[in-house]
Amino acid sequence: MHLQPGLYRHYKGPQYRVFGVARHSETEEEVVCYQALYGEFGLWVRPLSMFLESVEVDGERVPRFALVEAEPSLFDPPGDVIA
């Protein structure tokens, strides 16, 4: 599954920068690599399925993380490579 890199807001309010989706070396589970944009600016991973799920807040289903602003991927191969 493709997840757009960029700025995301957690349902509790803080913002995070998503770098992309990686694969666990043992289980091959897809995990999202992201950074907190507050505090110590820690790097985190979370299973993709959990990142994309909805949670219930005050009786309403909302996304756990909502895209605020898309950004280009740091990991896409460059366009025209001159060797």
Side-chain angles (χ1 to χ4, degrees), residues 23-76:
R23 202 173 283 282
H24 188 288
S25 63
E26 298 295 321
T27 65
E28 295 194 14
E29 178 183 24
E30 290 182 303
V31 294
V32 179
C33 301
Y34 61 102
Q35 180 180 30
L37 297 179
Y38 62 91
E40 295 182 17
F41 292 81
L43 295 175
W44 298 88
V45 296
R46 179 186 295 257
L48 178 61
S49 59
M50 184 185 286
F51 191 92
L52 295 175
E53 71 186 2
S54 294
V55 295
E56 189 170 321
V57 178
D58 298 327
E60 182 182 348
R61 299 294 296 176
V62 297
R64 182 182 296 275
F65 289 90
L67 181 64
V68 173
E69 182 179 344
E71 296 178 341
S73 174
L74 298 173
F75 304 105
D76 287 341

